[in-house]
Short mmCIF file of all heavy atoms in Angstrom, two decimals:
data_model
loop_
_atom_site.label_atom_id
_atom_site.label_comp_id
_atom_site.label_asym_id
_atom_site.label_seq_id
_atom_site.Cartn_x
_atom_site.Cartn_y
_atom_site.Cartn_z
N PRO A 1501 106.81 112.89 86.94
CA PRO A 1501 106.70 112.75 88.48
C PRO A 1501 107.16 111.39 88.93
O PRO A 1501 107.24 110.47 88.09
CB PRO A 1501 105.21 113.13 88.68
CG PRO A 1501 104.54 112.61 87.45
CD PRO A 1501 105.47 112.87 86.27
N TRP A 1505 103.88 104.01 95.22
CA TRP A 1505 103.36 102.60 95.39
C TRP A 1505 101.92 102.75 95.65
O TRP A 1505 101.27 101.79 95.50
CB TRP A 1505 103.97 102.09 96.72
CG TRP A 1505 103.80 102.76 97.88
CD1 TRP A 1505 104.62 103.94 98.37
CD2 TRP A 1505 102.78 102.54 98.98
NE1 TRP A 1505 103.99 104.27 99.65
CE2 TRP A 1505 102.96 103.49 99.94
CE3 TRP A 1505 101.88 101.64 99.04
CZ2 TRP A 1505 102.20 103.57 101.13
CZ3 TRP A 1505 101.00 101.71 100.15
CH2 TRP A 1505 101.21 102.56 101.26
N GLU A 1522 95.74 92.92 86.41
CA GLU A 1522 95.36 91.48 86.18
C GLU A 1522 95.92 91.00 84.89
O GLU A 1522 96.32 89.81 84.78
CB GLU A 1522 93.77 91.52 86.22
CG GLU A 1522 93.27 91.61 87.67
CD GLU A 1522 91.82 91.86 87.65
OE1 GLU A 1522 91.27 92.20 86.54
OE2 GLU A 1522 91.14 91.78 88.73
N ALA A 1532 100.90 94.00 90.37
CA ALA A 1532 99.82 94.57 91.23
C ALA A 1532 99.80 96.01 91.00
O ALA A 1532 100.78 96.56 90.51
CB ALA A 1532 100.08 94.20 92.69
N GLU A 1600 105.80 89.23 75.85
CA GLU A 1600 104.58 88.60 75.38
C GLU A 1600 103.42 89.52 75.81
O GLU A 1600 102.37 89.49 75.09
CB GLU A 1600 104.46 87.33 76.07
CG GLU A 1600 105.50 86.30 75.52
CD GLU A 1600 105.40 84.97 76.30
OE1 GLU A 1600 104.54 84.77 77.08
OE2 GLU A 1600 106.48 84.10 76.05
N VAL A 1611 120.23 95.72 86.44
CA VAL A 1611 120.02 95.22 87.72
C VAL A 1611 121.28 94.65 88.31
O VAL A 1611 122.02 93.78 87.75
CB VAL A 1611 118.93 93.99 87.68
CG1 VAL A 1611 118.75 93.45 89.15
CG2 VAL A 1611 117.65 94.61 87.15
N SER A 1634 120.64 101.66 96.20
CA SER A 1634 119.61 101.70 97.18
C SER A 1634 119.05 100.37 97.49
O SER A 1634 118.87 99.45 96.70
CB SER A 1634 118.42 102.57 96.71
OG SER A 1634 117.26 102.61 97.59
N PHE A 1665 110.46 87.89 107.81
CA PHE A 1665 111.17 86.71 108.35
C PHE A 1665 112.31 86.34 107.33
O PHE A 1665 111.89 86.12 106.16
CB PHE A 1665 110.29 85.52 108.66
CG PHE A 1665 110.72 84.39 109.53
CD1 PHE A 1665 111.77 84.51 110.30
CD2 PHE A 1665 109.99 83.35 109.60
CE1 PHE A 1665 112.25 83.54 111.11
CE2 PHE A 1665 110.44 82.28 110.35
CZ PHE A 1665 111.50 82.36 111.21
N SER A 1676 99.48 85.03 100.42
CA SER A 1676 99.71 86.51 100.70
C SER A 1676 101.09 86.90 101.02
O SER A 1676 101.36 88.04 101.24
CB SER A 1676 98.82 87.05 101.83
OG SER A 1676 99.13 86.19 102.99
N LEU A 1686 120.77 86.15 101.41
CA LEU A 1686 119.47 86.07 102.19
C LEU A 1686 118.31 86.59 101.44
O LEU A 1686 118.37 87.54 100.63
CB LEU A 1686 119.63 86.77 103.58
CG LEU A 1686 120.45 86.12 104.58
CD1 LEU A 1686 120.55 86.98 105.74
CD2 LEU A 1686 119.98 84.74 105.00
N GLY A 1691 105.07 89.86 104.47
CA GLY A 1691 103.66 90.03 104.35
C GLY A 1691 103.20 91.40 104.58
O GLY A 1691 103.77 92.01 105.63
N GLY A 1696 97.12 98.82 107.91
CA GLY A 1696 98.09 98.68 108.94
C GLY A 1696 97.87 99.76 110.00
O GLY A 1696 96.71 99.91 110.49
N MET A 1702 92.65 106.15 111.67
CA MET A 1702 91.29 106.30 111.20
C MET A 1702 90.27 106.12 112.42
O MET A 1702 89.36 106.94 112.46
CB MET A 1702 90.95 105.23 110.10
CG MET A 1702 91.64 105.49 108.76
SD MET A 1702 91.48 104.11 107.64
CE MET A 1702 89.82 103.79 107.66
N GLN A 1705 90.32 109.39 114.46
CA GLN A 1705 89.61 110.34 113.68
C GLN A 1705 88.08 110.13 113.89
O GLN A 1705 87.25 111.03 114.06
CB GLN A 1705 90.14 110.47 112.33
CG GLN A 1705 91.47 110.88 112.10
CD GLN A 1705 91.89 110.77 110.61
OE1 GLN A 1705 91.16 110.39 109.78
NE2 GLN A 1705 93.19 110.94 110.43
N GLY A 1712 82.49 115.19 118.24
CA GLY A 1712 82.18 116.64 117.88
C GLY A 1712 83.29 117.56 118.31
O GLY A 1712 83.08 118.69 118.50
N THR A 1733 87.90 94.49 132.64
CA THR A 1733 86.54 94.18 133.15
C THR A 1733 85.92 92.90 132.45
O THR A 1733 85.43 92.07 133.08
CB THR A 1733 85.71 95.40 132.95
OG1 THR A 1733 86.19 96.52 133.55
CG2 THR A 1733 84.21 95.08 133.48
N GLU A 1755 88.82 93.98 98.34
CA GLU A 1755 88.45 93.53 99.69
C GLU A 1755 88.30 94.61 100.71
O GLU A 1755 88.96 95.48 100.57
CB GLU A 1755 89.40 92.35 100.14
CG GLU A 1755 89.05 91.67 101.51
CD GLU A 1755 90.04 90.62 101.82
OE1 GLU A 1755 90.71 90.20 100.97
OE2 GLU A 1755 90.09 90.26 103.07
N LEU A 1802 111.56 88.20 118.62
CA LEU A 1802 110.50 89.26 118.02
C LEU A 1802 111.07 90.64 118.16
O LEU A 1802 111.34 91.00 119.36
CB LEU A 1802 109.11 88.89 118.76
CG LEU A 1802 108.07 90.00 118.48
CD1 LEU A 1802 107.65 89.87 117.07
CD2 LEU A 1802 106.93 89.82 119.39
N MET A 1822 100.27 87.61 121.22
CA MET A 1822 99.97 86.89 119.98
C MET A 1822 101.10 86.07 119.49
O MET A 1822 100.97 84.91 119.03
CB MET A 1822 99.42 87.87 118.86
CG MET A 1822 98.71 87.29 117.80
SD MET A 1822 98.02 88.53 116.65
CE MET A 1822 96.72 89.17 117.65
N GLU A 1834 114.97 105.58 113.26
CA GLU A 1834 114.89 105.57 111.88
C GLU A 1834 115.60 104.44 111.28
O GLU A 1834 116.62 104.33 110.75
CB GLU A 1834 115.67 106.89 111.36
CG GLU A 1834 115.17 108.24 111.91
CD GLU A 1834 113.83 108.41 111.32
OE1 GLU A 1834 113.32 107.81 110.43
OE2 GLU A 1834 113.14 109.35 111.93
#
Side-chain angles (χ1 to χ4, degrees):
W1505 62 275
E1522 290 168 342
E1600 292 173 12
V1611 179
S1634 178
F1665 196 15
S1676 57
L1686 288 173
M1702 289 166 54
Q1705 292 170 9
T1733 304
E1755 186 174 338
L1802 172 66
M1822 193 173 292
E1834 302 295 347

